[in-house]
Amino acid sequence: MNCCKRGLLLRTLGHPVLTGPPGGPLAGLRRKDLALLAYLCVEGPRPHSRARLAALLWGESREAKARHSLTQALGRVVRAAGSGAVVVERDAVRSTGAVACDAEWLLAGGERLDPLLTLYEGPFLEGFEAGFGSEEFGEWADGQRAELRNAALRWLERTGEAAEAAGDWALALRIGERGTQVDPVHEEAHRRALRALLETGERNRALRHYQDFARWLADDVGGEPDPETLALVERIGAATAASPPPPPRISPRPPPALPPPVLAEPPVAEAPITVVGAVEVAADAPPRRAASAPVSSIGARAVAHSSCVGSWLFAGVLTVMLMQTTLLGRFGPARQPAIPLPGHGEAIRLEKGGPVYLAYAETLWRYPDAATLDRCLGGWRQRIRRVRALPPWPRRTLASVTKHPWQGGMAAVVTDHPQDPTQHVAMGCVLAPIPDTLTFRAIFGHTDWSRSYEEADSLLRAGPRTTEAEPYPVRTTGTLIRDAQDRVKWIVYHGGALTASPEVLATYCRSPAEAVPVPSAEFAYYEAYATLPPADPPCPGEPRAHAKPRRR
């Protein structure tokens, strides 16, 4: 009987997982099994020789052993997805197309994709390594990753153009911001956001958006904005100078007596002011003058009678901003790729100091404050690895525990999305979607969703996420676990860990004897992406590098 389980979906945009009809992950697949299934599904129904597939994923093994490993992997795929998922012949293997794949949906376009492309949860096979001997597969995945990212950007350009043509500037803004999440360097997405902010009257917010982008482009990429972007920003500045925001409403009561004229205008107390070049921008509102503040007669005449003077002033502001961007890009510190690259879940910073970043999924996530850093590291600041240079990855900022108390802790979080109220488990600084109610109960011991933190869906999607949570206990960051062979891992988030040796643990004043014994399945669930670095500074107590691990 040749059949395939219905409702199967291979999610490859983000961390890969094969899900069944209820949306939960199917068990029984190893990393190379998932890699094999992803390759067959994305490449389509054409046949692939067994020798080619064996070399793709088991390149370090002899041919006979590699072919045997391929046969075993195909057996696990068939047991998990059904015999109709792939056609296995004597010398060739091909996909039947019975297992749906989100990457194929993205490349095909159509009704399965929404305007904001929520299907694109991250880069292709984000944070996924097939393992030793799969270097050729990694090269293939890199090419697919770039192709799918470009396909995502093309789709967002299409929906963004439609939103602008319909005059739906709120949607156009969201699509533009979504494009900057997919690829922070994609300037068309930034320009769409700037146009939307201009059309909705949020010109100062548009200027702030541009300044942040130009600064990031100079610091992290060493580039400058395109001429088209500069022309749009100049247009925004000219509109700001030609039609300044109206003055705030005042009470009909007679105003108090004005103080004597002063040379410098006192600042307005309603909102903090951020200086952008030579323009003052309020943090949460357009710049405005206090009702009782005197206005320079020269400035009033310039705004009221000469829009060209306003354009000239903005040109000066733009010149200052471009000079800052150019100087930062030209004379900023030279960046060299860090070798080796940090593992997922590591905390790194430059040797000379600066912000601390969570290295995760080819992105550097900056810790916004000390409280978030301590919560996300489980109080173990000594495990921050100092590096000579930061990898040239995109940079984002984590949510702060001061506003989002679930961040960095151990809690259940539910989105505010009305149609898809997905539950997550927060572990350190990483979120893992919970696939079903049974898993939720296994993790938290109850199914009362009202006890979960409710958070904006956009914030949860923008943060670092790992694969869907398995029904294992939520262990705090810094917990040591060990298996029957006394191998030890240091947990950094739910599903991820760093390998730990007795010698390195001794630098933290810790011993393998402290590790919690766990079943082999849970030990394997915590993937080890890197090695725990020695504590910096090291433990001041007695060294325990030779402490014998306790056997069960």
Side-chain angles (χ1 to χ4, degrees), residues 513-549:
E514 303 174 27
V516 179
V518 298
S520 299
E522 182 180 352
F523 188 85
Y525 172 70
Y526 283 93
E527 277 194 85
Y529 288 108
T531 303
L532 178 71
D536 182 16
C539 171
E542 293 293 327
R544 291 187 283 175
H546 303 290
K548 296 294 184 182

Coordinates of all heavy atoms in Angstrom, one line a residue, residues 513-549:
A513 N 29.2 17.0 38.9 CA 28.4 16.3 39.9 C 27.1 17.1 40.2 O 26.1 16.5 40.7 CB 29.2 16.2 41.3
E514 N 27.1 18.4 39.8 CA 25.8 19.2 40.0 C 24.8 18.9 38.9 O 23.7 19.4 39.0 CB 26.2 20.7 40.0 CG 27.2 21.1 41.1 CD 27.6 22.5 40.9 OE1 26.8 23.3 40.4 OE2 28.7 22.9 41.3
A515 N 25.2 18.3 37.8 CA 24.3 18.1 36.7 C 23.1 17.2 37.0 O 23.2 16.3 37.8 CB 25.1 17.5 35.5
V516 N 22.0 17.6 36.4 CA 20.8 16.9 36.7 C 20.7 15.7 35.7 O 20.9 15.9 34.5 CB 19.5 17.8 36.4 CG1 18.2 17.0 36.6 CG2 19.6 19.0 37.3
P517 N 20.6 14.5 36.2 CA 20.5 13.3 35.2 C 19.1 13.4 34.5 O 18.1 13.6 35.1 CB 20.5 12.1 36.2 CG 20.1 12.6 37.5 CD 20.5 14.0 37.6
V518 N 19.2 13.2 33.2 CA 18.0 13.3 32.3 C 18.0 12.1 31.4 O 19.0 11.5 31.1 CB 18.0 14.6 31.5 CG1 17.9 15.8 32.4 CG2 19.1 14.7 30.6
P519 N 16.8 11.7 30.9 CA 16.8 10.6 29.9 C 17.5 11.0 28.6 O 17.7 12.2 28.3 CB 15.3 10.5 29.6 CG 14.6 11.1 30.8 CD 15.5 12.2 31.3
S520 N 17.9 10.0 27.9 CA 18.7 10.2 26.7 C 17.9 11.1 25.7 O 18.5 11.9 25.0 CB 19.0 8.9 26.0 OG 19.8 8.1 26.9
A521 N 16.6 10.9 25.6 CA 15.8 11.7 24.7 C 15.8 13.2 25.0 O 16.0 14.1 24.1 CB 14.3 11.2 24.7
E522 N 15.7 13.6 26.3 CA 15.8 15.0 26.7 C 17.2 15.5 26.5 O 17.4 16.6 26.0 CB 15.4 15.2 28.1 CG 15.4 16.6 28.5 CD 15.0 16.9 30.0 OE1 14.5 15.9 30.6 OE2 15.1 18.0 30.4
F523 N 18.2 14.7 26.8 CA 19.6 15.1 26.6 C 19.8 15.4 25.1 O 20.5 16.4 24.7 CB 20.6 14.1 27.1 CG 22.0 14.5 27.1 CD1 22.5 15.2 28.2 CD2 22.8 14.2 26.0 CE1 23.8 15.6 28.2 CE2 24.2 14.6 26.0 CZ 24.7 15.3 27.2
A524 N 19.3 14.6 24.2 CA 19.5 14.8 22.8 C 18.7 16.0 22.3 O 19.0 16.7 21.3 CB 19.1 13.6 22.0
Y525 N 17.5 16.3 23.0 CA 16.7 17.5 22.5 C 17.5 18.8 22.7 O 17.3 19.7 21.8 CB 15.5 17.5 23.4 CG 14.6 18.8 23.2 CD1 13.9 19.0 22.0 CD2 14.5 19.8 24.2 CE1 13.2 20.1 21.8 CE2 13.8 20.9 24.0 CZ 13.1 21.1 22.8 OH 12.4 22.2 22.6
Y526 N 18.4 18.9 23.7 CA 19.2 20.1 23.8 C 20.4 20.1 22.9 O 21.4 19.6 23.3 CB 19.6 20.3 25.3 CG 18.5 20.7 26.2 CD1 17.7 19.9 26.9 CD2 18.2 22.1 26.3 CE1 16.6 20.3 27.7 CE2 17.2 22.6 27.1 CZ 16.4 21.6 27.8 OH 15.3 22.1 28.6
E527 N 20.2 20.6 21.7 CA 21.3 20.6 20.7 C 22.4 21.5 21.2 O 22.2 22.6 21.7 CB 20.8 21.1 19.4 CG 20.1 20.0 18.6 CD 19.9 20.5 17.1 OE1 20.8 20.3 16.3 OE2 18.8 21.0 16.8
A528 N 23.6 20.9 21.1 CA 24.8 21.7 21.5 C 25.4 22.3 20.2 O 26.0 21.7 19.4 CB 25.8 20.7 22.1
Y529 N 25.3 23.7 20.2 CA 25.9 24.4 19.0 C 27.3 24.9 19.2 O 27.9 25.3 18.2 CB 24.9 25.6 18.7 CG 23.6 25.2 18.1 CD1 22.5 25.3 18.9 CD2 23.5 24.7 16.8 CE1 21.2 25.0 18.3 CE2 22.3 24.4 16.3 CZ 21.1 24.5 17.1 OH 19.9 24.2 16.5
A530 N 27.8 24.9 20.4 CA 29.1 25.5 20.7 C 29.6 24.9 22.0 O 28.9 24.2 22.7 CB 29.1 27.0 20.7
T531 N 30.8 25.2 22.3 CA 31.5 24.8 23.6 C 31.4 25.9 24.6 O 31.7 27.1 24.2 CB 32.9 24.3 23.3 OG1 32.9 23.3 22.3 CG2 33.6 23.8 24.6
L532 N 31.1 25.6 25.8 CA 31.1 26.6 26.9 C 32.5 27.2 27.0 O 33.4 26.5 27.2 CB 30.6 26.0 28.2 CG 30.6 26.9 29.4 CD1 29.5 27.9 29.3 CD2 30.5 26.0 30.7
P533 N 32.6 28.5 27.0 CA 33.9 29.1 27.1 C 34.3 29.2 28.6 O 33.5 29.1 29.5 CB 33.7 30.6 26.6 CG 32.3 30.9 26.8 CD 31.6 29.5 26.7
P534 N 35.6 29.2 28.9 CA 36.0 29.4 30.3 C 35.4 30.7 30.9 O 35.2 31.6 30.2 CB 37.5 29.4 30.3 CG 37.9 28.8 29.0 CD 36.8 29.1 28.0
A535 N 35.2 30.6 32.2 CA 34.6 31.8 32.9 C 35.6 33.0 32.8 O 36.8 32.8 32.9 CB 34.3 31.5 34.4
D536 N 35.1 34.2 32.6 CA 35.9 35.4 32.6 C 35.2 36.4 33.5 O 34.2 37.0 33.0 CB 36.0 35.8 31.2 CG 36.9 37.1 31.0 OD1 37.6 37.4 32.0 OD2 36.9 37.7 30.0
P537 N 35.7 36.7 34.7 CA 36.9 36.1 35.3 C 36.7 34.7 35.8 O 35.6 34.3 36.1 CB 37.2 37.1 36.4 CG 35.8 37.6 36.8 CD 35.1 37.7 35.5
P538 N 37.8 34.0 36.0 CA 37.6 32.6 36.5 C 37.2 32.5 37.9 O 37.2 33.5 38.7 CB 39.0 32.0 36.3 CG 39.9 33.2 36.3 CD 39.2 34.3 35.7
C539 N 36.8 31.4 38.4 CA 36.3 31.1 39.7 C 37.5 31.5 40.7 O 38.6 31.0 40.6 CB 35.9 29.7 39.9 SG 35.6 29.2 41.6
P540 N 37.2 32.2 41.8 CA 38.2 32.6 42.7 C 38.5 31.5 43.7 O 39.5 31.6 44.5 CB 37.7 33.8 43.4 CG 36.2 33.7 43.3 CD 35.9 33.0 42.0
G541 N 37.6 30.5 43.8 CA 37.8 29.4 44.8 C 38.8 28.4 44.4 O 39.6 28.5 43.5
E542 N 38.7 27.3 45.1 CA 39.6 26.2 44.9 C 39.3 25.5 43.5 O 38.1 25.3 43.2 CB 39.5 25.1 46.0 CG 40.0 25.6 47.3 CD 41.5 25.8 47.3 OE1 42.2 25.1 46.6 OE2 42.0 26.8 48.0
P543 N 40.3 25.2 42.7 CA 40.0 24.6 41.4 C 39.4 23.2 41.6 O 39.9 22.5 42.5 CB 41.3 24.6 40.7 CG 42.4 24.6 41.8 CD 41.7 25.4 42.9
R544 N 38.4 22.9 40.8 CA 37.8 21.5 40.8 C 37.8 20.9 39.5 O 36.9 20.3 39.1 CB 36.4 21.6 41.4 CG 36.3 22.1 42.8 CD 34.9 22.0 43.3 NE 34.1 23.1 42.8 CZ 32.8 23.2 43.0 NH1 32.2 22.3 43.7 NH2 32.1 24.2 42.6
A545 N 38.9 21.1 38.8 CA 39.0 20.6 37.4 C 39.0 19.1 37.3 O 38.6 18.5 36.3 CB 40.2 21.2 36.7
H546 N 39.4 18.5 38.4 CA 39.5 17.0 38.4 C 38.4 16.3 39.2 O 38.6 15.2 39.6 CB 40.9 16.6 38.9 CG 42.0 17.2 38.1 ND1 42.3 16.8 36.8 CD2 42.9 18.1 38.5 CE1 43.3 17.5 36.4 NE2 43.7 18.3 37.4
A547 N 37.3 17.1 39.5 CA 36.2 16.5 40.2 C 35.6 15.4 39.4 O 35.4 15.5 38.2 CB 35.2 17.5 40.5
K548 N 35.4 14.2 40.0 CA 34.9 13.1 39.3 C 33.4 13.2 39.2 O 32.7 13.5 40.2 CB 35.2 11.8 40.1 CG 36.7 11.5 40.2 CD 37.3 11.2 38.9 CE 38.8 10.8 39.0 NZ 39.4 10.5 37.7
P549 N 32.8 13.0 38.0 CA 31.4 13.1 37.8 C 30.7 11.9 38.6 O 31.2 10.8 38.7 CB 31.2 12.9 36.3 CG 32.4 12.2 35.8 CD 33.5 12.7 36.7

